[in-house]
Amino acid sequence: MIGALKFGPQALVEEAMRFNQHLAAGLSTLREVDDVDFGCTPKEEVYREDKLVLYRFKGDQPPTAKVPILIVYALVNRPYMVDLQEDRSLVRNLLARGEDVYLIDWGYPDRSDRWLTLDDYINGYIDRCVQAVADRHGLDAINLLGICQGGAFSVCYSALHPEKVRNLITMVTPVDFHTPDNMLGHWARGMDVDLFVDAVGNVPADLMNFCYLMLKPYRLNFQKYVGLVDILDDKAELENFLRMEKWIFDSPDLAGEAYRQFIKDFYQGNKLINGGLEIGGRAVDPINITMPVLNIFAEQDHLVPPDASRPLGGIVGTEDYSELAFRGGHIGIYVSGRAQREVPQAIHDWLAARGG
């Protein structure tokens, strides 16, 4: 008998049998799963300060690009998402095209970092990393690739230090924090961040992760684990799943003062759009961004909706502004098969057209 749900008792029995078969196969597969690691590309440490480490990645061939790229990742997750595994690596694919890639690893802030401000991160750490890379290559300016919150930092840095940035690339970067489809923005706007930071000091990573998971509670807390059963008999897919889970829950705490300022000035004040943003007592005016800009956003991004990224083109001073809309989500833009084919090549081609 087939009812309104379009399945009958026989189909239910067959589905239950398949479910049990996957579970039984999983008992065998789980015994074979190796430790899931990340960061497939060799790299060397070239600069260290406090908990920050600046790395330079090593490709199979020497880089051919004239100007290196410095990746500035967000504070809220670990940066190895850009080099997750051999077949899912933005870094590896950029190196394969001749780019010279550096990355800032922010480390894990502890209570001693409670009072770090956005000035410390942007005019301090980022500026010294930019200078370290520029000095190694004898350059006055390098290419900056900012990701998510790191993209917002890179926009601020480029506005404050335009003479040190040759080309600016932003990926899934929020600029307008008050778009109607930005759920995270709606939540943050109603937050008493002074009370919160005064109470907790540094912001616990587990609390931040819980907020992100609740943006899509059914999909991220239930559906994906039900779907896990379907891959229990596939060792490679299971290791991919576990590697991603490790990244999601390997988040650092956030320095309290920097978090306070970011919530107030960006999420609540929306000052990149409305004006009035100051970092370290200096006005941040995006009109000072006169270098070429490539803005890459994901069309199905639930954390940074496209409408939150697109306004960058309307506030920068450059006449050389380009956009790349990627068909995927906030994470898919790094790890999907399409991302491996399209994003690194687009970045390389865009940079090559501007002399590296």
Side-chain angles (χ1 to χ4, degrees), residues 42-46 54-58 63 100-103 136-137:
K43 59 183 183 295
E44 64 174 332
E45 176 183 328
V46 297
L54 174 63
Y55 290 107
R56 184 187 192 187
F57 290 95
K58 298 179 179 178
D100 199 349
V101 184
Y102 291 77
L103 176 140
R136 287 174 60 90
H137 293 265

Side-chain angles (χ1 to χ4, degrees), residues 7 74-76 122 129-130 139 196 220 224 229 306 332 355:
F7 60 82
L75 302 178
V76 296
I122 295 172
C129 287
V130 168
L139 297 170
F196 180 68
L220 299 179
K224 73 172 182 179
V229 175

Side-chain angles (χ1 to χ4, degrees), residues 144-278:
L144 210 56
L145 195 169
I147 294 175
C148 193
Q149 183 191 37
F153 285 6
S154 297
V155 168
C156 295
Y157 182 81
S158 300
L160 291 166
H161 307 275
E163 73 283 359
K164 294 186 176 182
V165 182
R166 175 78 169 267
N167 297 290
L168 172 63
I169 303 164
T170 55
M171 290 183 67
V172 290
T173 291
V175 175
D176 185 346
F177 290 75
H178 285 185
T179 56
D181 56 351
N182 190 337
M183 185 178 293
L184 204 57
H186 286 291
W187 289 356
R189 259 181 280 174
M191 179 182 187
D192 186 342
V193 68
D194 285 329
L195 176 62
F196 180 68
V197 173
D198 290 346
V200 303
N202 286 347
V203 180
D206 289 343
L207 181 58
M208 293 296 298
N209 273 331
F210 178 74
C211 292
Y212 294 134
L213 294 175
M214 292 313 292
L215 288 171
K216 288 189 173 183
Y218 175 75
R219 178 177 174 182
L220 299 179
N221 294 286
F222 179 72
Q223 187 181 25
K224 73 172 182 179
Y225 295 112
V226 173
L228 171 64
V229 175
D230 292 333
I231 61 171
L232 281 177
D233 55 352
D234 188 325
K235 178 174 179 287
E237 285 298 318
L238 184 56
E239 288 177 349
N240 289 343
F241 180 90
L242 294 174
R243 190 174 290 107
M244 184 63 71
E245 288 291 287
K246 185 174 183 178
W247 175 79
I248 291 172
F249 295 103
D250 182 25
S251 299
D253 294 343
L254 301 179
E257 283 309 304
Y259 178 84
R260 186 201 308 265
Q261 189 178 356
F262 194 71
I263 294 295
K264 281 188 171 182
D265 288 348
F266 291 79
Y267 276 102
Q268 296 179 345
N270 203 22
K271 292 183 177 179
L272 276 176
I273 297 297
N274 297 332
L277 178 62
E278 291 188 358

Side-chain angles (χ1 to χ4, degrees), residues 40-42 57-63 86 91-92 95-99:
C40 61
T41 308
F57 290 95
K58 298 179 179 178
D60 295 332
Q61 303 293 333
E86 189 167 336
V91 167
R92 188 177 182 86
L95 292 172
R97 290 160 174 81
E99 300 295 341

Side-chain angles (χ1 to χ4, degrees), residues 22-33 232-233 235 238:
H22 281 296
L23 286 179
L27 294 176
S28 173
T29 308
L30 286 170
R31 287 195 293 268
E32 301 171 358
V33 169
L232 281 177
D233 55 352
K235 178 174 179 287
L238 184 56

